[in-house]
Amino acid sequence: MRAFWSFPLSVRLLLVNQMGVNTGFYLLIPYLAGHLGGSLGMSAAAVGVVLGVRNLSQQGLFLIGGTASDRLGARTVIIAGCALRAVGFGLFALGGSLPVLLGASVLSGLAGALFNPAVRSYLAVEAGDRRAEVFALFNVFANTGALLGPLLGSALLLVDFRVAAVAAALIFAGLTVAQALTLPSRPVPPGGGSVLADWRECLANRGFVAFTLALSGMFALQNQLYLILPMRAEEVTGSAASVAALFLVSTVATLLLQVRITRWLRDHLGGSAAIALGLAVMGAAFLVPLLPGLLPVLLAAFGLALGVMIAQPFVLELIPAFGREGVIGTYFGMFYLASGLVAAAGNVVVGWAGDTADWLAWPLCAALGLGSAIAVRRAGVPEAVPPAETSPVRGPDPAGRSRGAPESGSPEDSPAEEKAP
């Protein structure tokens, strides 16, 4: 809490916003498939289409959201994204036909594609030399929402799915209003060229491309919390209820340890070394479930969460270091688009390995983590951008030490899911 209050109002608002985003998302989406197939009686194929359209709309449009953040201003895109998510979730409450449900899926996916890169871009600028710390807090608030959402959703589902959908829509409507009233507006630097030129700049940046491909391993391993780890937990216990324990371990560990781990690493390791360490820890966690019983699976979930806690804040801190002022949102969008696509392919390979032999997926994931760690160290990751170049506000650190006088007039959109909502 000391760290939270040491940041300016704009940062605090976006941290609370992320908790609200995840609360609203996990209040509804985990129960959507059951509603479509059960209450509405849709076929499995139709349910898959609705869910797939939502995922494709979000993953495929991250680059559009990042570019919009650079061109229109992060504040505008964040507000628009939350408003679209409110409309999309509202349609889930009203819709019973496939066209309406597809429209709701497209809007809710597009909303995530808009505000996810924009929020990270805004925070990267506002946090200045405290980027790693603010992204650690961002992870904590996001996980808090991911914990609250299913609890609230399961209670509202006792009434009706539509009540849960309306509640989720109202959360996003409230976030839209709160940000429109209180999130400060920052000047938007004029674009130096065309949108396509910005995209080509990202793709021509060899260091950024190498970094993005290396970090695809992180996303692929994170996704195993939804794939092979739950399957293994249910296999060794014979009960689907054991799957909940995986998410509880992961979430509680993040809430208790994230900020402390990031502070220590910032002072003693930092940058690409911390990212490589986190990826190696994530990979090593997948060797533990080769042992019998549920405890090794829970330890693997903890190890996976620990690796993410080590690496992720520094990943988000370093992305702005690759790009020039004014295209940071584009770099975030390109990063999430490319790494998401490669991670999806990785999931296919891991799934194939599990089908081929029960034991094969685990060493494959371990090798993926180790290989990604080595790739990060070889990618030529730059140091974080010096705070004087990008930081409009630098408050005191939690211990009260001054981090420099605030600056004014810095551009909003210079130098950022998945469980991304």
Side-chain angles (χ1 to χ4, degrees):
M1 292 305 297
R2 287 196 301 271
F4 174 78
W5 286 109
S6 71
F7 283 102
L9 175 62
S10 57
V11 171
R12 300 199 303 268
L13 177 62
L14 290 178
L15 293 174
V16 174
N17 173 76
Q18 190 61 30
M19 183 174 69
V21 164
N22 276 21
T23 300
F25 180 86
Y26 288 104
L27 185 160
L28 182 72
I29 294 300
Y31 310 105
L32 180 58
H35 169 68
L36 297 177
S39 303
L40 299 183
M42 296 175 64
S43 67
V47 173
V49 168
V50 172
L51 298 181
V53 164
R54 195 208 68 80
N55 285 329
L56 183 61
S57 298
Q58 178 161 318
Q59 296 291 337
L61 297 176
F62 267 132
L63 182 55
I64 302 298
T67 298
S69 174
D70 291 331
R71 298 281 169 157
L72 304 177
R75 177 183 182 274
T76 300
V77 175
I78 293 168
I79 294 170
C82 284
L84 281 177
R85 180 63 65 83
V87 174
F89 279 11
L91 285 178
F92 278 126
L94 300 176
S97 65
L98 184 58
V100 173
L101 292 169
L102 288 175
S105 294
V106 170
L107 287 177
S108 60
L110 173 60
L114 288 175
F115 62 65
N116 275 316
V119 165
R120 287 157 177 78
S121 177
Y122 197 111
L123 286 174
V125 175
E126 292 292 294
D129 60 344
R130 300 177 67 192
R131 283 178 186 154
E133 186 177 2
V134 82
F135 285 121
L137 283 171
F138 186 79
N139 202 18
V140 169
F141 276 79
N143 275 272
T144 302
L147 181 64
L148 294 176
L151 296 176
L152 182 57
S154 61
L156 292 175
L157 282 173
L158 296 175
V159 182
D160 186 66
F161 175 85
R162 291 175 176 82
V163 174
V166 169
L170 289 176
I171 288 174
F172 281 97
L175 294 174
T176 303
V177 173
Q179 290 165 111
L181 293 177
T182 59
L183 189 62
S185 179
R186 303 295 183 199
V188 181
S194 68
V195 169
L196 290 178
D198 290 346
W199 294 358
R200 286 195 298 268
E201 178 183 328
C202 291
L203 295 174
N205 188 326
R206 294 183 180 180
F208 172 73
V209 171
F211 181 76
T212 299
L213 293 176
L215 265 297
S216 300
M218 184 179 77
F219 288 91
L221 294 180
Q222 275 185 284
N223 286 341
Q224 303 316 309
L225 187 61
Y226 305 93
L227 184 59
I228 62 173
L229 286 175
M231 293 171 62
R232 179 64 171 166
E234 190 168 350
E235 175 187 335
V236 298
T237 63
S239 171
S242 60
V243 175
L246 296 176
F247 294 94
L248 184 62
V249 166
S250 176
T251 301
V252 171
T254 301
L255 298 181
L256 295 178
L257 301 176
Q258 175 69 84
V259 174
R260 293 176 174 86
I261 288 173
T262 301
R263 284 179 182 163
W264 189 91
L265 290 169
R266 179 193 61 196
D267 294 336
H268 296 88
L269 199 60
S272 62
I275 296 172
L277 174 63
L279 289 167
V281 170
M282 291 174 71
F286 284 90
L287 295 176
V288 184
L290 290 171
L291 301 173
L294 178 62
L295 181 59
V297 185
L298 296 178
L299 290 175
F302 173 78
L304 182 61
L306 179 62
V308 173
M309 284 187 275
I310 293 171
Q312 192 174 63
F314 296 97
V315 172
L316 298 177
E317 177 192 38
L318 289 176
I319 289 173
F322 286 100
R324 59 181 172 82
E325 184 177 353
V327 292
I328 299 307
T330 301
Y331 270 79
F332 272 112
M334 187 71 76
F335 174 81
Y336 278 103
L337 171 61
S339 56
L341 292 174
V342 176
N347 277 347
V348 174
V349 174
V350 171
W352 169 84
D355 290 338
T356 302
D358 290 341
W359 59 270
L360 184 58
W362 307 104
L364 178 62
C365 287
L368 179 60
L370 180 60
S372 296
I374 295 172
V376 165
R377 295 298 285 169
R378 292 182 174 180
V381 178
E383 296 296 326
V385 176
E389 294 182 16
T390 61
S391 174
V393 178
R394 293 194 299 281
D397 71 9
R401 296 182 296 271
S402 174
R403 290 187 177 270
E407 301 174 13
S408 60
S410 296
E412 175 190 38
D413 294 297
S414 37
E417 318 254 280
E418 16 200 266
K419 301 203 303 190

